[in-house]
Amino acid sequence: MPTRLGGGRRDFSAVRRFGIAHVIGAVVVITTGIGLVTFEAVRNRNANIATAKAWNIQGPPCPALTQAEFQAKRYTALKTFDYDGIAIGRTAGDANCSDIKEAGGRGLGTDKVCQFTSPATLTVVSKAGSYFFVPGAGQPASLIIHRDVPRCVMASNFTLQTE
């Protein structure tokens, strides 16, 4: 803040320290920063969209069972793994999972997608509950888990050769 000196004059040296060159420099730095952040966001978004397209598995729904039906038929899913707090089980085959951005790669949230070579049975235990699917022996299947609720389709792009 300018102060008065002895003869009634004001001291503007504090104001003069920030001249036009400093203002232009600040604008250039801020604009460059915004540009870099925008560039990175667009690049990440395009990568997320491409990943979502590659992992967009379409197919008929897997047969679903209640827990009681699953246990009554004596199905098991002994090969279990934890995927970010969700327990996923299968009887056989191999699995490949990935996090995919919601809304085809455009969203902010993340869906979990798991593809299986031939799981026979699938179980999912999440915060939303327990789910049981029976795609059958030799059938490929995929789980799409949106907000802890799985959807199973009888299709998969995953093979041991694509791994």
Side-chain angles (χ1 to χ4, degrees):
M1 181 163 157
T3 59
R4 291 194 181 267
L5 297 176
R9 293 185 10 220
R10 291 185 181 229
D11 178 15
F12 288 102
S13 62
V15 175
R16 287 191 188 122
R17 273 189 272 167
F18 300 104
I20 191 73
H22 290 99
V23 172
I24 290 172
V27 168
V28 167
V29 168
I30 291 170
T31 303
T32 302
I34 290 171
L36 289 173
V37 168
T38 302
F39 172 76
E40 193 64 26
V42 168
R43 190 176 73 154
N44 284 341
R45 183 173 189 257
N46 290 339
N48 290 338
I49 291 170
T51 302
K53 283 182 183 175
W55 282 77
N56 184 17
I57 312 300
Q58 300 295 320
C62 300
L65 300 175
T66 66
Q67 185 171 1
E69 292 170 329
F70 192 83
Q71 290 171 337
K73 293 183 185 252
R74 298 179 195 230
Y75 288 134
T76 60
L78 299 176
K79 294 183 173 185
T80 61
F81 61 95
D82 180 81
Y83 183 33
D84 203 19
I86 298 173
I88 299 173
R90 66 188 187 281
T91 301
D94 292 299
N96 187 15
C97 299
S98 184
D99 287 344
I100 307 297
K101 290 291 184 184
E102 292 177 351
R106 294 173 178 83
L108 298 176
T110 303
D111 288 338
K112 293 159 184 34
V113 180
C114 292
Q115 300 181 56
F116 302 89
T117 54
S118 58
T121 64
L122 290 168
T123 61
V124 179
V125 179
S126 69
K127 295 175 197 169
S130 298
Y131 302 86
F132 303 88
F133 303 99
V134 185
Q139 282 290 336
S142 296
L143 287 173
I144 299 93
I145 304 171
H146 177 72
R147 298 186 181 157
D148 293 328
V149 177
R151 177 175 58 92
C152 180
V153 295
M154 295 183 55
S156 174
N157 295 332
F158 173 60
T159 64
L160 292 179
Q161 287 79 29
T162 60
E163 180 64 18

